Amino acid sequence: SGSIRSIADPLVEQGEYRRLQQLTRKYNRQLSDGHNYLRSTCFSYYLLATRHVEGREAMMKAFHRNEFGVQYYDREAVLSVLTELPDLACMVVQGYVETGEVVCGRVLLEHLIFEDGGEDRFYRLYNQCFPNDVERFYMSLMEWNAYEERPLIWLGHYYVAQGELATAREVTERAIALDPSDGEQGKETRMEVYHVMADILQAEGDTEKSKFFREVMVAIRSGEVADDYLRLGFIDEAIKRYEAALGHFNDAYCLQSRLAKAYLEQGNVEMSRVHFAKAFELMPVSFGPVESHCFGCEGIFNSEEARQVAKEVFTRIVRESPENPRTYYLLALLYEEMEEEELRIESLIKAFQRDPQYYNCAKKLLPEVVCSQELQLQYPELRQQLMMAYPYSSLGDAFRDRIDLLHLWEDAEQISTERAESPLTLELLELPIELDSDVRRAQDSLHEGLDGWQREELLGKVDLNLYYLFQ
């Protein structure tokens, strides 16, 4: 699929859709029966090209006829053709709407959002095409996964459009509190929530605060350009651009940390420590229960200088604000880098005790608790509390890599009894697509608890770690 994309993406950028159409036809003919994923990717680009060359009707016919012979075993296989290229998915949904098949378009888009809940283009299209269903669908998504901020963000957009500014502010502030950094979104797509807040404030007549949030956006986008220079090795230019970006918003911890790393690469240890200190001071108030800042990619604790400064700053903040759970969580990440295992677990427990809904903390702590009889004796209620922090959508994840067989059965039984009913219902995806006849009945197969978590389904997630079993 990488080879397809390496050729197809430049053709898309250049608008060479006729050549792309010819290329994908030829490529598909050369694929053997065992390359269904490659065929699916190829078909995605072909449909996109067909839309631009022959129009909407030709694209929809090609999609329905499954012209490339993709093996559609279930709904996920159908959706994979569309989620490969979000712009194509939006075109297909719009194709249904424009031809009067509004319900079909809505149901398809709801399935797409379920499969790729971080794609803003899907939410934007849903707001535009199905405004009467926005509250119903987004509310159910929020019950399905209380830690996903995207439905809140786009519910905020909806309320702004409706003139319900107080409600828009409420849901937008909830989205910011969940994940202020919005780090799982890629370049040029992060921080959509701050656009919403700026629009709310502008509509309320608070121009000054609205400008502040727009300046935050300018800082983030400018910092993303600086990232490109840093990756290419143009350190001096990157430093200049990071500093200019911080001129728009100085409290962006991610920009402070990357500027610190740039100075360290330049050999300016003194300036590096200054900006590391600023970044670490900002982090405890910049994280939510599902912060998505990638420490592995940033490598923020990789250097000895950063670790020294981090330990000093976090230790001081713990003394000054001992009830902030984020600081203990950050200390746990630092201790993990320093291979201080006991201090890491101790910090995770302190973080979770101060915020029993700290999902990212629960994900790190639960595997430690279930593998340690000592921790279970010392904190007899902790395992169940950690389980309760998992959203409905991710309850299956709480059963992976566990070895406590008795507790596994108890936990699965409790969930299947007390939390059996799924808070999200998706209508059957009925599209006139030619599925393999022997698996046609599987097109409505749902998974991962969408039809309600059952005890056997949860236990089926267990991947016993034999190493720990025989210690």
Side-chain angles (χ1 to χ4, degrees):
S1 62
S3 61
I4 296 173
R5 294 190 187 94
S6 64
I7 300 172
D9 286 340
L11 292 176
V12 171
E13 291 176 8
Q14 296 166 19
E16 295 282 353
Y17 292 107
R18 193 172 298 278
R19 288 180 61 192
L20 178 60
Q21 199 179 35
Q22 296 167 352
L23 172 76
T24 48
R25 281 199 194 104
K26 182 177 180 180
Y27 198 102
N28 181 64
R29 287 195 297 268
Q30 295 175 350
L31 289 173
S32 63
D33 292 339
H35 292 90
N36 195 55
Y37 178 67
L38 295 177
R39 196 179 304 281
S40 176
T41 302
C42 196
F43 191 36
S44 300
Y45 282 104
Y46 172 77
L47 290 170
L48 181 67
T50 299
R51 173 64 179 86
H52 286 277
V53 174
E54 300 178 36
R56 181 198 67 214
E57 185 176 350
M59 175 194 70
M60 297 298 285
K61 284 183 178 179
F63 178 52
H64 292 158
R65 288 198 302 263
N66 186 16
E67 289 188 358
F68 277 23
V70 178
Q71 291 178 304
Y72 289 138
Y73 293 113
D74 52 26
R75 57 181 286 282
E76 287 77 29
V78 176
L79 294 174
S80 68
V81 172
L82 301 177
T83 53
E84 189 82 35
L85 298 172
D87 286 340
L88 168 66
C90 292
M91 289 175 184
V92 171
V93 171
Q94 288 173 313
Y96 284 117
V97 173
E98 291 168 5
T99 55
E101 298 182 71
V102 177
V103 174
C104 192
R106 175 181 61 76
V107 174
L108 172 58
L109 188 52
E110 288 177 1
H111 279 259
L112 288 166
I113 290 173
F114 176 75
E115 289 298 314
D116 190 355
E119 180 51 69
D120 283 327
R121 280 169 285 191
F122 294 163
Y123 289 99
R124 183 177 292 109
L125 184 60
Y126 200 92
N127 280 29
Q128 292 170 356
C129 295
F130 315 110
N132 294 335
D133 293 284
V134 163
E135 287 183 291
R136 170 196 61 81
F137 182 51
Y138 291 179
M139 292 293 188
S140 63
L141 285 174
M142 287 151 52
E143 291 180 31
W144 170 252
N145 183 356
Y147 299 111
E148 173 54 62
E149 72 277 8
R150 246 59 220 163
L152 285 166
I153 293 171
W154 288 95
L155 197 55
H157 272 301
Y158 167 79
Y159 285 130
V160 170
Q162 298 296 313
E164 300 180 37
L165 299 181
T167 311
R169 177 189 283 272
E170 178 188 347
V171 297
T172 303
E173 287 175 347
R174 283 174 58 191
I176 293 174
L178 275 176
D179 185 5
S181 66
D182 201 14
E184 83 276 10
Q185 295 295 308
K187 183 180 178 182
E188 298 180 357
T189 61
R190 289 177 59 201
M191 305 297 192
E192 179 68 30
V193 68
Y194 295 103
H195 277 307
V196 187
M197 186 58 77
D199 290 343
I200 293 169
L201 292 164
Q202 187 71 43
E204 290 176 342
D206 195 336
T207 306
E208 185 176 345
K209 285 186 178 178
S210 175
K211 182 181 178 182
F212 166 79
F213 282 101
R214 298 198 193 282
E215 285 291 286
V216 171
M217 296 301 305
V218 172
I220 297 302
R221 294 291 174 265
S222 301
E224 290 171 347
V225 176
D227 293 342
D228 293 335
Y229 281 93
L230 186 61
R231 277 192 291 269
L232 292 170
F234 298 106
I235 298 174
D236 292 344
E237 182 66 22
I239 289 173
K240 184 174 71 174
R241 289 177 178 271
Y242 282 132
E243 289 176 338
L246 288 166
H248 293 279
F249 178 56
N250 194 52
D251 287 347
Y253 81 87
C254 52
L255 297 184
Q256 292 284 357
S257 68
R258 297 205 288 276
L259 178 57
K261 285 183 62 182
Y263 270 123
L264 195 60
E265 288 190 36
Q266 190 189 54
N268 192 334
V269 177
E270 183 178 352
M271 287 300 296
S272 175
R273 290 179 67 89
V274 168
H275 289 283
F276 272 133
K278 180 66 174 176
F280 298 142
E281 287 169 0
L282 290 168
M283 282 182 181
V285 295
S286 301
F287 278 26
V290 285
E291 109 291 328
S292 50
H293 180 86
C294 181
F295 285 94
C297 294
E298 295 292 352
I300 196 168
F301 297 137
N302 283 355
S303 66
E304 181 62 31
E305 290 80 4
R307 289 193 289 271
Q308 289 177 0
V309 176
K311 191 170 184 179
E312 293 169 8
V313 172
F314 294 153
T315 303
R316 172 173 55 79
I317 294 176
V318 163
R319 287 198 305 269
E320 296 171 352
S321 305
E323 294 308 310
N324 187 339
R326 314 303 179 226
T327 317
Y328 293 101
Y329 180 76
L330 289 161
L331 273 170
L333 296 177
L334 175 62
Y335 288 134
E336 183 175 6
E337 186 72 25
M338 297 169 65
E339 298 182 356
E340 297 278 1
E341 191 63 14
E342 289 187 14
L343 291 173
R344 181 182 77 89
I345 295 173
E346 179 185 326
S347 296
L348 286 173
I349 291 174
K350 289 180 179 178
F352 189 75
Q353 287 173 333
R354 285 158 177 78
D355 182 3
Q357 298 302 312
Y358 204 156
Y359 178 42
N360 272 14
C361 184
K363 288 192 295 183
K364 289 182 176 292
L365 189 53
L366 181 62
E368 306 296 340
V369 172
V370 299
C371 291
S372 170
Q373 187 175 8
E374 180 181 349
L375 286 175
Q376 292 183 45
L377 291 173
Q378 189 174 357
Y379 304 98
E381 305 297 325
L382 185 56
R383 188 190 87 259
Q384 283 295 328
Q385 292 169 347
L386 290 166
M387 292 286 297
M388 291 302 296
Y390 278 72
Y392 194 89
S393 60
S394 301
L395 283 171
D397 295 337
F399 287 80
R400 304 183 200 278
D401 299 323
R402 288 182 59 173
I403 62 171
D404 52 332
L405 301 184
L406 177 60
H407 289 153
L408 273 171
W409 185 273
E410 292 175 349
D411 290 345
E413 181 68 22
Q414 182 177 0
I415 288 171
S416 64
T417 302
E418 298 179 3
R419 303 178 71 181
E421 187 175 351
S422 171
L424 176 64
T425 301
L426 288 180
E427 298 174 47
L428 179 64
L429 182 61
E430 294 183 347
L431 298 176
I433 297 173
E434 295 181 8
L435 300 180
D436 293 354
S437 58
D438 58 335
V439 294
R440 187 173 182 83
R441 58 185 174 81
Q443 73 155 322
D444 61 336
S445 65
L446 301 178
H447 61 94
E448 297 295 296
L450 191 56
D451 53 350
W453 286 111
Q454 303 301 316
R455 183 185 61 197
E456 291 73 17
E457 185 179 11
L458 292 165
L459 293 174
K461 300 292 180 185
V462 179
D463 180 16
L464 290 177
N465 192 318
L466 297 180
Y467 174 80
Y468 285 109
L469 275 176
F470 291 101
Q471 291 305 299

